[in-house]
Amino acid sequence: MISHEVTIAGYLVALAGIVLLQVLATRTRVPIPSLGDLLTRAMRSRTGRVGVLVAWAWIGLHFFAR
Amino acid sequence: MSRAAPGPEDRHAHSPGAEGGAACADTVVDAARPAGRVLAALAGFREPVVWILLAIAFFTAISGKPVDGVLMLVVAVGLAWDAGRRALRHADAAGTAGAQAWPGRLRGGRRRIIVVGALLAGAAVYAGVVGSFSRYSWPVTACIIGLGTVVVLIGWHGPVRDRPAGGRLPVAGTLAWVAVLVAGCLWELGALLQQPSLTTDSYSHPTISTLTDPVLATSPGRAVVLLGWLALGWYLVER
């Protein structure tokens, strides 16, 4: 039972970190790029763009496809 | 050493250092020599994205999802080959390529509204229909693979509209993102490796897939998640 909760708490901490960084990026002047800026930068080259889109496709495959 | 003008695949406005030296596989080599051609053909394997996709293909395949693994492998090899081919092309015809407008680029507010409306309606139908299929069935597999292929091919041809290059990202802030995202991935990997086996769920160490199973067990739940997946895909294609 404890392991179950600790595992879920880990996911929540990671999620909270993402939300915190996004809030800091968009609501304050702290020099942190938003997730959108990060994705735009990563997708500037073809390999980056295809890599990100494949990761998106993989999410669909992973949760729904055989 | 010279670089060709940006081709249709690189439609973002370029700024000095925008590609980052290590991240760009468009390295120009002496293509007149056989060794140079071999090096150029292998240039794609210098891309970190290619190795990430190969790792995903491996772990996906050994986790009991061979179809996903093969698809990831195909894309990784295709991407590496394409990067190598572009390196060769740049070497053979440096300076001859010219930027072209993508034929499908949308202009005009009214046309865009119509297209957006059609896409929203299509997304709703897609989510409703595909969500009605059982998980891991062949119909849903075909629908996901079909849409995923279309989106990846769109991305392969370049962004759908011009975007400003933007400046350099703050290093510390970028590292903070990398740290959080990598930590999340490692936590998930840790849970996966603590399962009884890679294909057997664990209550004590649930993966994100395990935690989402109750939501995805129902048709409305699948439709809602599919809508979110489609929205994310749309957002990424627009990047």
Side-chain angles (χ1 to χ4, degrees):
Chain A
M1 190 66 179
I2 288 293
S3 298
H4 177 82
E5 286 155 357
V6 168
T7 303
I8 292 175
Y11 294 129
L12 292 177
V13 167
L15 183 64
I18 290 171
V19 172
L20 175 66
L21 287 177
Q22 183 67 9
V23 169
L24 287 174
T26 56
R27 304 285 183 200
T28 72
R29 303 185 71 171
V30 176
I32 295 176
S34 68
L35 190 56
D37 291 339
L38 212 63
L39 286 169
T40 300
R41 176 65 184 80
M43 296 177 75
R44 198 179 292 170
S45 68
R46 173 180 281 177
T47 44
R49 190 165 53 247
V50 172
V52 170
L53 291 175
V54 167
W56 166 82
W58 179 85
I59 292 172
L61 286 169
H62 181 71
F63 284 101
F64 293 98
R66 290 179 80 88
Chain B
M1 295 285 277
S2 63
R3 287 183 67 87
E9 70 277 9
D10 292 315
R11 209 164 289 114
H12 286 293
H14 283 248
S15 61
E19 291 284 355
C24 180
D26 301 342
T27 308
V28 175
V29 297
D30 184 359
R33 297 177 181 175
R37 287 188 174 275
V38 171
L39 283 176
L42 294 174
F45 287 97
R46 292 206 303 268
E47 292 280 348
V49 169
V50 171
W51 289 103
I52 291 171
L53 291 179
L54 287 173
I56 292 174
F58 175 74
F59 284 109
T60 303
I62 66 171
S63 299
K65 309 263 287 185
V67 175
D68 296 15
V70 169
L71 288 173
M72 292 297 114
L73 181 64
V74 168
V75 174
V77 172
L79 204 53
W81 175 82
D82 182 68
R85 186 177 60 88
R86 279 185 291 140
L88 274 178
R89 191 177 61 205
H90 284 195
D92 288 340
T96 60
Q100 298 174 3
W102 198 44
R105 188 184 302 167
L106 302 176
R107 290 190 187 281
R110 189 172 177 180
R111 184 181 174 193
R112 180 170 174 82
I113 288 172
I114 293 172
V115 171
V116 168
L119 285 173
L120 284 174
V125 171
Y126 180 94
V129 171
V130 178
S132 70
F133 297 141
S134 301
R135 283 178 85 187
Y136 311 129
S137 64
W138 282 114
V140 75
T141 300
C143 291
I144 296 287
I145 290 176
L147 182 64
T149 302
V150 168
V151 169
V152 169
L153 287 178
I154 289 173
W156 207 297
H157 285 283
V160 294
R161 59 191 171 91
D162 292 326
R163 294 183 67 85
R168 279 185 169 277
L169 296 178
V171 175
T174 303
L175 288 177
W177 274 110
V178 171
V180 168
L181 295 175
V182 169
C185 290
L186 289 177
W187 192 260
E188 160 83 2
L189 181 62
L192 177 72
L193 294 177
Q194 291 180 79
Q195 292 182 157
S197 77
L198 291 177
T199 55
T200 306
D201 294 344
S202 163
Y203 177 79
S204 297
H205 304 285
T207 60
I208 293 173
S209 304
T210 305
L211 293 172
T212 54
D213 278 345
V215 175
L216 297 174
T218 65
S219 182
R222 287 194 293 276
V224 169
V225 173
L226 278 167
L227 273 178
W229 181 67
L230 292 173
L232 177 62
W234 190 340
Y235 173 80
L236 292 174
V237 167
E238 287 274 303
R239 291 285 94 193

